[in-house]
Every structure is written in C-alpha cells, then in structure tokens.
Amino acid sequence: MKKLAVISADVIDSSKFEENAFLGTLQFLEEPSNNYLVNRGESILTSRGDSFQIMIQDVEKAFLKAIYLKSYFKKSEIVLKHQQIKRKLDLRISLAVGNAETIPDEIGKTLEEPFVLSGRALDQMKQKKQTFIITTTNAEYNKELDLSCSFLENILDGWTMAQAEVIYYLVQGFKQSEIAEKLNLTQPSVSNRIQLAHWGLIEKMDHRYKDIVSKL
C-alpha cells in the first residue's frame, strides 16, 4: 500500500468567465519546469478547462501545494463573459490523503481510495458552501480538520490579489528580499502583506497537517 495525497479542484463561478479562459492557467500548472506543483512522474488531469485533479506522492507537501494553487489563482483576474469588467479568480480545493494499492498511470480512470475521497468531498463542497477541505481515512482527524479548514477559509477568502501574489512566491521558498525584487516592492511592504495574509497561522496548520498524515 502507498500513501497518496490527491487534490481535486474547480474554479468558483467558472460559468461567468469565457470558456477558454483557463487554458493558459492549466497549461502552466502542467509544466513541471514552471513551478513546484507537479513533479516529473506525477500526472495532472483536466476534466474540463475549469477543473482538475492532481496526484501527490509526497503527502507531507500536499497542504502547501494546495495553498500554492489558491495563491496562484487568487493573484489573477480575468474578464467576465460578455462584459468588460474583470473579476478575481478563486478555486475550490478538496485535499484528501489515503492509501492506494498501486500508483495509477491515468488518474482519471482509478477508484483508489484517495481519489474517491477527494472527488466525493469536492462534489459536496458547493452544497456546504466550502472552499477548502482536507479529508483523511480517520473520522476523528476529519472532525478536527473540518473545523480548522473553516477558519482557514476565512483567511484565504480574505486575501487581496496583492497578498496572494506575495504568498505565491513565499510558499515556493523565495526570501522576502527576492520577492521584493520580483514585484518591485520594498521589503517592509512584502513583510506587511505576509502578515496581513496570516502566513504564520497557515504555517501552523501545515505543521499540524504533517503531524496528522504521519500518523495515518
């Protein structure tokens, strides 16, 4: 048995944007040289232009990869369908950790446990009005994670584009001075955005997530 993490995600209110609005976004995410999200040998499935699923074999990194996805989308905005105004993008994310007997070659054609858990939770999120959820095979841990994710949602939903842009680089390991240079900002400005984005609390949740998955 192999422990796997699976992220299932879809763009919130995607019907309000043009059909091909997300093609460039998904092409970027599928290219390992562009980012730290997808490693060589890990596949990404795009069922439509507005939804996708990712298999992550290094389960301890899965939470921060989900945060990376949130920041990548929330730092962007695109034109609404048939309108001249832009709207900030956002993503609904379901992260699940479970055991798989085999590593699937085509993740769209598998019923291994973590894929089912992740997909099923994503289907339920619209009804529950959730935007971020973590599911495991342990019911008690799931109760804790459900509560933690409710608080986390308030943080992530409150991000401005400027804050998401800084977190996008920070989660990849860039130093504040490097982020400041990339964004043509002062280092105090970068530090302020990091604090306003509540990065310290996100790090604490990452530590707890790692603790939980190590015990599964």
Side-chain angles (χ1 to χ4, degrees):
M1 299 289 282
K2 168 72 174 178
K3 191 184 298 181
L4 290 177
V6 174
I7 294 175
S8 300
D10 62 11
V11 179
I12 296 173
D13 292 334
S14 60
S15 62
K16 296 181 180 180
F17 301 100
E18 295 294 341
E19 298 295 332
N20 64 349
F22 315 106
L23 293 180
T25 298
L26 272 298
Q27 288 171 356
F28 177 88
L29 294 176
E30 289 175 329
E31 176 49 56
S33 64
N34 284 338
N35 59 80
Y36 93 136
L37 179 66
V38 183
N39 298 322
R40 300 288 178 187
E42 293 183 336
S43 55
I44 178 171
L45 168 71
T46 305
S47 58
R48 299 192 311 275
D50 62 349
S51 65
F52 54 91
Q53 196 171 55
I54 301 170
M55 175 182 68
I56 302 169
Q57 296 187 46
D58 190 346
V59 296
E60 287 198 346
K61 294 182 178 179
F63 175 75
L64 286 185
K65 289 191 175 188
I67 296 298
Y68 168 90
L69 277 170
K70 264 286 188 181
S71 63
Y72 175 69
F73 276 80
K74 289 182 73 69
K75 73 182 181 67
S76 306
E77 62 180 4
I78 58 177
V79 177
L80 291 170
K81 187 182 294 184
H82 309 307
Q83 299 183 45
Q84 296 302 312
I85 60 174
K86 289 185 176 181
R87 178 171 169 178
K88 183 170 63 176
L89 288 174
D90 200 357
L91 202 62
R92 186 180 292 108
I93 293 178
S94 167
L95 166 60
V97 179
N99 294 310
E101 293 185 5
T102 60
I103 305 298
D105 294 325
E106 297 184 55
I107 64 178
K109 299 180 180 180
T110 179
L111 293 177
E112 293 283 9
E113 183 178 61
F115 295 90
V116 174
L117 288 174
S118 180
R120 183 181 297 154
L122 183 66
D123 290 340
Q124 297 171 350
M125 289 175 75
K126 286 185 180 180
Q127 183 178 1
K128 295 180 179 180
K129 296 182 179 180
Q130 294 171 308
T131 58
F132 197 106
I133 192 69
I134 302 174
T135 309
T136 73
T137 54
N138 184 292
E140 290 304 311
Y141 284 145
N142 288 347
K143 290 178 183 178
E144 175 190 338
L145 289 166
D146 188 54
L147 179 60
S148 298
C149 286
S150 295
F151 287 101
L152 179 65
E153 283 181 339
N154 283 333
I155 292 173
L156 302 180
D157 291 347
W159 277 356
T160 64
M161 289 178 61
Q163 292 164 11
E165 187 175 39
V166 167
I167 298 300
Y168 169 76
Y169 289 109
L170 187 66
V171 77
Q172 296 178 71
F174 286 92
K175 298 178 181 178
Q176 290 190 26
S177 58
E178 295 172 326
I179 298 172
E181 184 176 354
K182 280 182 173 293
L183 301 180
N184 195 28
L185 297 170
T186 64
Q187 188 166 336
S189 294
V190 170
S191 178
N192 184 55
R193 292 182 187 185
I194 291 171
Q195 290 181 29
L196 290 174
H198 299 287
W199 175 248
L201 295 177
I202 293 170
E203 283 187 308
K204 287 183 179 180
M205 185 161 178
D206 179 48
H207 292 154
R208 180 55 182 153
Y209 164 81
K210 288 176 179 175
D211 182 48
I212 288 174
V213 298
S214 70
K215 297 174 181 177
L216 294 174

